Amino acid sequence: MALENLISTGIIQRDETPMEKEVVGQCRGCFSLADVMYFSKKGCEAVVEDEVTQRFSSEELLSWNLLSRTNANLHHVSWKLAAVWVTGILIRYCLLLPLRVKGWLSNQVQMICATLGVRCLSGLVHFHNRENKPQEGGICVANHTSPLDVLILASDGCYSLVGQVHGGLMGLIQKSCMQTSQHVLFERSEIKDRHLVRKKIREHIADKAKLPILIFPEGTCINNTSVMMFKKGSFEVGGTIHPVAIKYDPRFGDAFWNSTKHSMMTYAFNVLTSWAIVCNVWYLPPMVKEEEEDAVHFADRVKAVIAAQAGMSVLPWDGGLKRKKVKESFKEEQQKKYCQIVIENGSVGNGNVY
């Protein structure tokens, strides 16, 4: 066979002689015992090198591509060729493979580390309705009781976090995490720019290949009995909201972190000296904002669903009251309500109805 034909097909082939030329041409139309040799040869060729079954095996190449895809006898090769082959193995398995599975491998490592962290705390977590787990390109919102909330959710899935850029050791850890996960980080001067925050979150969830963003709309830790006001920022960017309800069992350990009373070290000591961290996590069906519904009412609707599932009470107050004084606008609103009551009662008592 011509070399050009071999190169064009890339398959090792053998020459075929039609039966009409080899058999009919020899016997001239009559039976001959020599025909038995022809059919025997064709039968052996069919067994050894069948044209049909060969098409279900890997294509045989004319030249070696540093893999095992040729029939060449490699029992006696030079040390130079062996060195090239070993180098190819190191490149394919130690360099190309980790790069190609970087995202999947990173997610698995993060989940394993989070699971080990939960186990170190004698954690026992019951996950419910895993079919509703947050998907890529969405926003996961949950009630907030403890910094352990992130660790517990990360043991069952990977998320992108929203936070502030830090320096020093914490900054080094953040940069390392950013190499494998796309978190949404802001400078100290940017964190108060709500438009910029919404813009970055909107860009993140627009990419369906990125991990869902984990947000705690309460903005602070609540003591595992109530769900307080959800800030509307997370519900203004659009997209699908995946509610998650987290409820700790206080009989085995108090997971609540009162940051105004205890430092992080004190809180960590209290958690490590508790019996166990036991909690239930419910993945609730995804929710979207309805037509004619603003962000505030959407946030209240999601909050009510989470509170109902976890068996907690719903409070309209801002969790920021733990650190800040009551706003003057709240005081004025209560004063107006009281004045209205006094005026109405006074009018009825004097017999005047307006």
Side-chain angles (χ1 to χ4, degrees):
M1 176 174 287
L3 182 60
E4 293 80 3
N5 191 21
L6 281 174
I7 295 177
S8 63
T9 59
I11 301 177
I12 300 177
Q13 299 180 357
R14 65 176 186 274
D15 293 331
E16 296 289 345
T17 303
M19 183 175 60
E20 291 80 2
K21 292 183 179 180
E22 189 165 344
V23 176
V24 178
Q26 293 179 1
C27 63
R28 298 179 181 178
C30 59
F31 173 76
S32 173
L33 291 177
D35 298 343
V36 176
M37 299 301 299
Y38 171 78
F39 289 109
S40 299
K41 182 187 73 171
K42 290 296 182 181
C44 293
E45 290 178 351
V47 173
V48 175
E49 195 174 358
D50 183 18
E51 290 183 349
V52 177
T53 56
Q54 282 184 354
R55 300 314 185 260
F56 304 114
S57 302
S58 298
E59 177 184 1
E60 296 181 354
L61 305 179
L62 295 176
S63 60
W64 186 37
N65 63 349
L66 302 183
L67 295 173
S68 301
R69 298 180 61 189
T70 66
N71 286 333
N73 187 354
L74 301 179
H75 293 290
H76 304 285
V77 296
S78 64
W79 64 269
K80 295 181 180 179
L81 188 60
V84 173
W85 179 65
V86 172
T87 303
I89 288 181
L90 295 177
I91 292 175
R92 289 188 289 114
Y93 285 89
C94 300
L95 180 62
L96 297 181
L97 178 62
L99 289 176
R100 290 166 178 169
V101 298
K102 177 181 177 182
W104 177 86
L105 186 62
S106 172
N107 293 343
Q108 296 301 313
V109 171
Q110 291 182 45
M111 292 174 60
I112 291 174
C113 292
T115 302
L116 290 176
V118 174
R119 294 292 182 266
C120 290
L121 300 175
S122 300
L124 180 59
V125 185
H126 302 280
F127 293 97
H128 307 275
N129 306 324
R130 276 194 168 100
E131 66 275 8
N132 296 324
K133 285 180 62 175
Q135 303 297 324
E136 289 78 2
I139 300 177
C140 174
V141 298
N143 59 299
H144 199 22
T145 304
S146 163
L148 300 177
D149 296 341
V150 178
L151 189 66
I152 288 172
L153 292 178
S155 67
D156 194 47
C158 294
Y159 300 90
S160 296
L161 303 178
V162 179
Q164 179 179 309
V165 176
H166 293 275
L169 179 60
M170 183 62 69
L172 181 62
I173 296 175
Q174 282 185 339
K175 290 181 180 179
S176 300
C177 294
M178 287 295 291
Q179 298 297 324
T180 56
S181 300
Q182 294 297 324
H183 301 291
V184 183
L185 302 180
F186 301 92
E187 298 290 346
R188 184 180 298 272
S189 59
E190 298 175 343
I191 198 67
K192 294 183 179 180
D193 189 346
R194 296 183 179 180
H195 296 286
L196 180 60
V197 173
R198 287 198 296 266
K199 180 176 179 294
K200 286 192 175 183
I201 295 178
R202 189 178 291 110
E203 291 175 352
H204 184 96
I205 64 176
D207 188 351
K208 300 302 181 183
K210 292 185 177 180
L211 297 173
I213 295 181
L214 176 60
I215 299 177
F216 300 100
E218 290 171 297
T220 188
C221 296
I222 311 300
N223 69 348
N224 197 44
T225 62
S226 307
V227 182
M228 300 188 73
M229 184 183 73
F230 278 8
K231 293 179 172 59
K232 64 178 182 179
S234 308
F235 304 89
E236 292 178 330
V237 297
T240 303
I241 299 295
H242 299 271
V244 176
I246 306 174
K247 177 67 174 180
Y248 292 90
D249 192 336
R251 296 176 298 176
F252 303 96
D254 186 10
F256 169 59
W257 179 34
N258 188 351
S259 56
T260 60
K261 184 178 180 180
H262 301 294
S263 65
M264 175 58 77
M265 294 301 297
T266 302
Y267 171 75
F269 178 79
N270 293 335
V271 170
L272 291 173
T273 54
S274 62
W275 290 111
I277 300 298
V278 181
C279 74
N280 287 274
V281 177
W282 291 273
Y283 296 110
L284 304 176
M287 303 175 65
V288 295
K289 187 168 66 173
E290 299 176 351
E291 295 183 5
E292 307 297 332
E293 185 180 34
D294 58 14
V296 174
H297 288 86
F298 184 32
D300 290 341
R301 184 160 59 92
V302 175
K303 179 182 69 173
V305 170
I306 293 176
Q309 179 63 70
M312 300 180 181
S313 59
V314 178
L315 297 179
W317 305 108
D318 187 355
L321 295 174
K322 182 170 66 174
R323 298 182 181 88
K324 301 177 182 179
K325 295 182 179 180
V326 179
K327 294 181 179 180
E328 293 297 328
S329 58
F330 290 166
K331 296 180 181 179
E332 293 176 359
E333 183 179 354
Q334 297 300 318
Q335 291 170 357
K336 290 179 181 179
K337 289 182 180 180
Y338 176 72
C339 291
Q340 187 67 26
I341 293 174
V342 171
I343 293 174
E344 291 179 355
N345 291 338
S347 299
V348 174
N350 295 332
N352 299 322
V353 179
Y354 296 93

